[in-house]
Amino acid sequence: MNIPFLGNRRRKTGFPDPEGIAELLAECELLRSQADRAGVRLDDSPASLEALDQLVPRWRDDEEASTWLGNDAGLYLGTVIVRTVQGAAWGIRADGQPIVRLTSGREFDVVDAGHEWAADGVPELSQLYAEVAEA
């Protein structure tokens, strides 16, 4: 049966385009909300990573919030790298974990780094960015 006003309801199979993936990974709603409440503007720049490093880590008292925030922090770090380091691109490991891949072939598990940052504050996001940008 063809009902024109419903449109084509079938989903396309396959993997979304790289730009679509990048936009999806850049959302980081919890991190953006926390940063906004603290007066930090997340503009996908390396300077915004430095500002995040200066936030008072009130989330560490809440394990669930810390886990979600760590995930968002990693995705935001990856977003800044992909948007500012020439040749950097998102990739997905076989286990489904998003990574950032450089033209040199080097890969960075930014989500794991975000979890470490949210839990301990070390390494700092801006420090990780500087290491990747040098590579």
Side-chain angles (χ1 to χ4, degrees):
M1 178 187 324
N2 182 12
I3 304 174
F5 66 86
L6 292 179
N8 186 355
R9 308 276 280 158
R10 292 185 186 164
R11 292 185 166 258
K12 293 182 180 180
T13 57
F15 208 64
D17 65 274
E19 287 181 27
I21 292 171
E23 288 304 313
L24 185 65
L25 295 175
E27 288 181 4
C28 312
E29 289 181 41
L30 181 60
L31 180 69
R32 290 183 187 278
S33 172
Q34 292 269 342
D36 188 51
R37 276 188 250 138
V40 173
R41 184 169 172 261
L42 299 185
D43 59 1
D44 301 343
S45 70
S48 66
L49 295 172
E50 292 175 17
L52 283 174
D53 288 336
Q54 301 305 313
L55 289 179
V56 176
R58 299 183 203 293
W59 60 83
R60 291 192 186 136
D61 296 335
D62 181 346
E63 187 176 331
E64 186 177 339
S66 183
T67 299
W68 279 101
L69 195 68
N71 194 61
D72 277 8
L75 294 176
Y76 184 71
L77 170 63
T79 296
V80 174
I81 293 169
V82 167
R83 292 186 176 169
T84 61
V85 175
Q86 188 169 356
W90 284 107
I92 307 292
R93 287 192 320 217
D95 65 358
Q97 181 81 352
I99 55 162
V100 171
R101 188 174 292 125
L102 302 181
T103 54
S104 67
R106 229 172 132 197
E107 295 180 349
F108 295 91
D109 185 342
V110 290
V111 173
D112 187 49
H115 283 285
E116 289 177 18
W117 174 82
D120 304 321
V122 177
E124 292 182 337
L125 298 175
S126 58
Q127 177 186 358
L128 290 166
Y129 174 82
E131 290 173 17
V132 172
E134 283 181 6

